Amino acid sequence: MALPTDFDESPVRAPLAQHLAFLYPDSDPEQLADEVIAIFDQFQPQGPLPLHQLWSQEDSLLITYGDSIVDNGSAPLDTLHQFLNEYLKDSISSVHVLPFCPFSSDDGFAVIDYTKVNPKLGDWSEISEIAGNYRLMADIVINHVSSESEWFKNYREGVEPGATYFMEANAGDDLSAVVRPRASSLLRPTETSRGLKHVWCTFSHDQIDLDFRNPQVLMEFLRIIRLYLQHGVSIFRLDAVGFLWKEPGTSCIHLPQTHEVVRLIRTITDYFAPGTLLITETNVPNHENLTYFGNRNEAHVIYNFSLAPLLVHALLTGKSEYLKRWMMTMPPAPVGCTYLNFTASHDGIGMRPAEGLLSDEEQLQLVETVRRFGGRVSTRRTADGGERVYELNVSLFDALRGTVDGEDPWQVERFLCSQTVMMGLEGIPAFYIHSLLATPNDQDGVAATNHNRSINRHKWDWSDLQQRLSDKGSVHHRVFEELSRRIQLRRRMAPFHPNATQFTLQLSEPYFAFWRQSTDRSQSVFCVHNLTDAVQELKLSDLNLILMDSWYDAISGTRLDDQNAVLNVAPYQCLWITNR
């Protein structure tokens, strides 16, 4: 392909060359920069998007598989779009459709072909239609591909593209420090045209790690990003990106080259597709996760991974101590960045982000309680050859079936409290579809697949779901309607802007509370949550409400004219006390 004559004048060429020189010191960075620019030659740079246009309090995100709702005779992506338009158009602004490509395992995360939509879900037209009505987030499963992919077939046969795309290990490599999220063996013996090789598998032997030390692997993924942009994707989730770059003798996680790849992708999207957001999926301890903001030049958004285990622990024990301590140490997101707050996902409740925040005894109590409520546990291999709990596999609705003392009648209230806490925090709230729908543990799914994660990946029949959501006596109707109402309340309240000021309130142990103030300082919200199954007293004077303002609870609509009053706060009740 002939390169346009204005490549030398492109203002993005120099920063691209800097990124590429760091990653590939033995290659010509100028030539590689020209290759990158050629990939995006159809995109017209428009300048950076103003920060105030990146997100607002009106934003919230739905996480779903393309076939979480199925209807015989219809493409699941069409059914999903119908569900969004009928039930969520007034509350949800963005949709994360989990991997929608053909795959061989891990419910989509072992991608066979990134350029195609799984025909069992639909095609690119359905993806583009959803993107036309909602901000669409898609996964770039960047660390590995399926063993059934064309690239890996070519690797075994010794032909390109693919022959040099995969990470191999040699007999003398020191792999003792490698950090992994699985207990399976790291290396997979593979017969190739060049003899027996041992390929790297961070996750499973069906998910073969790519070798980004080859610049052509990077170019392949930039072409995939271009394709997704052309179909309307505007948020990219870089899956398992922390493991991307490997060097034997190191931990092979969060290496400097990995951060440089994220910075390079950020440079590209900021220049060629301003307004596109990058979110890094790094399910690791909190201090490691925060590094992916970089110097405001890596991810726009990072997952608030520690929230889920700490919040579940708080609601199961009735103790706010650990949740409060964590929140007080969390830095405000840098300008132009924010957090994605979530309490449930397709992967379950990650426990690595709780390391250093919950003691081993508290973690064990959490694990055993969730097990009593039907949950499962997945482990990971540690550097010393042992195993630790990696994640809790459970429907969040069922994880909150009771407390450490056993089941009780407060499941719905406790669950609504969990989601309301998430909605109030600094950042953008993300709702897993099975949380919105109060889906219980899918034990039949686990039995059918023999995979723990299937417990929280139920597939709803569309007509059955419609019936349950319309049945005012069903728990699904009750949860969905109240969550939708609270999301819509939140959208109208400026203190819930993702970057509005936040301070932790020092109320008594049963409460988890914080204060949010709008960016123009005209409105405040005191978010107060009773974490216990008992009625608690709340002295309004403890909140230091400004006397000149009129205050009310936005959730209940109750006016609070006497600022010296003592409120009786019901079990798991949430208050949004605001002055407007």
Side-chain angles (χ1 to χ4, degrees):
M1 176 178 179
L3 299 179
T5 56
D6 60 352
F7 268 28
D8 286 345
E9 288 74 40
S10 173
V12 79
R13 190 170 186 264
L16 285 177
Q18 290 178 353
H19 294 308
L20 293 161
F22 181 87
L23 292 169
Y24 307 111
D26 297 330
S27 299
D28 181 348
E30 303 290 339
Q31 180 180 344
L32 291 175
D34 288 343
E35 284 188 49
V36 174
I37 295 172
I39 289 171
F40 293 92
D41 64 350
Q42 297 180 6
F43 290 81
Q44 297 299 317
Q46 302 170 10
L49 199 68
L51 294 180
H52 70 272
Q53 293 184 25
L54 290 176
W55 43 67
S56 76
Q57 67 272 16
E58 296 187 11
D59 285 307
S60 55
L61 182 138
L62 177 74
I63 305 168
T64 181
Y65 280 102
D67 59 354
S68 290
I69 306 172
V70 294
D71 184 20
N72 288 337
S74 298
L77 287 170
D78 271 341
T79 304
L80 172 62
H81 198 183
Q82 186 179 352
F83 168 72
L84 292 168
N85 290 341
E86 288 188 18
Y87 289 93
L88 294 175
K89 65 180 180 180
D90 296 324
S91 52
I92 296 294
S93 63
S94 306
V95 181
H96 175 197
V97 179
L98 289 155
F100 46 72
C101 300
F103 68 95
S104 55
S105 65
D106 199 15
D107 280 356
F109 287 91
V111 178
I112 294 174
D113 189 340
Y114 294 88
T115 67
K116 296 178 181 177
V117 175
N118 184 348
K120 294 180 179 179
L121 299 178
D123 57 31
W124 280 113
S125 65
E126 279 95 8
I127 293 292
S128 298
E129 286 172 6
I130 293 174
N133 291 323
Y134 303 89
R135 206 172 192 177
L136 180 61
M137 182 159 107
D139 289 274
I140 300 295
V141 185
I142 199 167
N143 178 72
H144 51 262
V145 300
S146 167
S147 64
E148 298 180 18
S149 66
E150 195 67 27
W151 290 348
F152 194 60
K153 292 177 183 177
N154 288 348
Y155 166 79
R156 292 198 301 265
E157 296 171 4
V159 298
E160 297 289 3
T164 56
Y165 280 15
F166 293 92
M167 188 72 190
E168 298 176 349
N170 299 315
D173 289 341
D174 177 10
L175 307 180
S176 60
V178 174
V179 172
R180 297 186 59 229
R182 298 290 185 273
S184 57
S185 58
L186 173 63
L187 302 179
R188 165 183 156 158
T190 302
E191 289 291 347
T192 75
S193 61
R194 297 166 290 121
L196 181 67
K197 300 294 180 181
H198 291 82
V199 292
W200 200 289
C201 299
T202 295
F203 290 87
S204 79
H205 284 196
D206 186 41
Q207 294 164 293
I208 318 298
D209 285 30
L210 293 151
D211 188 355
F212 274 82
R213 296 176 301 180
N214 178 352
Q216 290 312 307
V217 173
L218 174 64
M219 298 301 168
E220 294 280 13
F221 277 91
L222 296 183
R223 283 188 279 270
I224 292 163
I225 289 172
R226 176 193 64 191
L227 174 67
Y228 286 24
L229 286 169
Q230 290 170 333
H231 287 285
V233 172
S234 57
I235 308 175
F236 288 95
R237 177 183 184 269
L238 302 180
D239 177 68
V241 68
F243 302 99
L244 180 142
W245 200 281
K246 290 92 174 171
E247 293 288 349
T250 74
S251 65
C252 298
I253 187 170
H254 314 316
L255 296 188
Q257 295 92 336
T258 291
H259 285 279
E260 195 69 31
V261 170
V262 177
R263 288 192 283 269
L264 180 144
I265 295 173
R266 173 70 180 267
T267 295
I268 290 168
T269 53
D270 278 357
Y271 183 77
F272 291 106
T276 300
L277 302 183
L278 295 186
I279 179 166
T280 47
E281 190 271 327
T282 47
N283 190 359
V284 293
N286 198 46
H287 66 279
E288 298 175 32
N289 189 33
L290 287 167
T291 65
Y292 283 87
F293 280 140
N295 186 21
R296 298 170 50 204
N297 59 353
E298 294 187 35
H300 296 87
V301 185
I302 65 172
Y303 283 90
N304 220 338
F305 278 108
S306 298
L307 174 62
L310 292 177
L311 181 55
V312 171
H313 172 269
L315 288 164
L316 292 180
T317 62
K319 297 191 297 187
S320 61
E321 171 189 357
Y322 295 95
L323 188 60
K324 193 183 301 181
R325 186 186 303 163
W326 160 76
M327 186 165 169
M328 291 173 63
T329 63
M330 280 293 288
V335 175
C337 302
T338 195
Y339 297 104
L340 190 73
N341 297 318
F342 74 108
T343 53
S345 76
H346 60 291
D347 281 346
I349 300 169
M351 291 301 293
R352 279 210 75 204
E355 293 176 11
L357 301 174
L358 289 178
S359 67
D360 288 348
E361 292 76 15
E362 295 283 356
Q363 290 189 54
L364 180 61
Q365 184 183 43
L366 176 57
V367 168
E368 291 307 317
T369 302
V370 167
R371 274 183 168 146
R372 289 205 306 272
F373 298 155
R376 310 292 180 104
V377 175
S378 297
T379 61
R380 66 178 178 89
R381 182 73 55 82
T382 58
D384 61 5
E387 291 188 12
R388 286 186 66 96
V389 173
Y390 178 67
E391 67 185 14
L392 305 178
N393 303 114
V394 65
S395 151
L396 182 64
F397 186 63
D398 272 358
L400 299 175
R401 195 185 293 174
T403 69
V404 292
D405 296 322
E407 294 188 30
D408 62 23
W410 299 107
Q411 182 179 16
V412 169
E413 290 79 8
R414 187 180 296 111
F415 179 76
L416 289 172
C417 181
S418 75
Q419 302 307 283
T420 306
V421 169
M422 177 186 72
M423 282 187 241
L425 291 170
E426 175 191 351
I428 300 169
F431 299 86
Y432 187 40
I433 190 169
H434 293 305
S435 293
L436 278 181
L437 301 176
T439 308
N441 289 331
D442 188 350
Q443 302 291 3
D444 291 340
V446 176
T449 65
N450 201 32
H451 292 300
N452 286 347
R453 285 179 168 178
S454 298
I455 201 169
N456 198 25
R457 297 179 178 181
H458 181 70
K459 290 180 172 57
W460 279 100
D461 175 79
W462 177 221
S463 59
D464 180 30
L465 179 60
Q466 288 176 299
Q467 181 178 355
R468 296 191 189 212
L469 291 179
S470 64
D471 178 3
K472 294 184 179 180
S474 80
V475 69
H476 309 285
H477 171 90
R478 182 180 171 190
V479 168
F480 181 81
E481 289 298 315
E482 183 57 21
L483 284 180
S484 297
R485 185 181 77 87
R486 294 187 190 189
I487 294 170
Q488 290 167 31
L489 276 176
R490 180 188 183 278
R491 295 185 70 172
R492 300 193 292 270
M493 301 176 70
F496 289 134
H497 186 284
N499 299 117
T501 299
Q502 173 175 286
F503 284 111
T504 309
L505 299 178
Q506 299 302 318
L507 300 184
S508 58
E509 176 72 4
Y511 290 112
F512 178 58
F514 48 90
W515 173 71
R516 304 292 310 277
Q517 184 183 58
S518 59
T519 54
D520 65 2
R521 301 186 179 183
S522 65
Q523 184 180 7
S524 293
V525 176
F526 292 84
C527 303
V528 182
H529 315 87
N530 180 359
L531 300 180
T532 74
D533 56 5
V535 175
Q536 302 290 340
E537 289 188 347
L538 175 68
K539 295 179 181 179
L540 288 181
S541 58
D542 288 343
L543 298 180
N544 296 321
L545 305 178
I546 297 174
L547 290 173
M548 292 84 76
D549 290 350
S550 297
W551 297 88
Y552 75 102
D553 171 30
I555 293 178
S556 67
T558 302
R559 299 208 61 81
L560 304 172
D561 296 323
D562 181 1
Q563 296 183 18
N564 292 311
V566 177
L567 303 183
N568 287 324
V569 184
Y572 305 105
Q573 183 179 351
C574 303
L575 307 171
W576 284 346
I577 298 174
T578 184
N579 58 338
R580 287 174 81 181

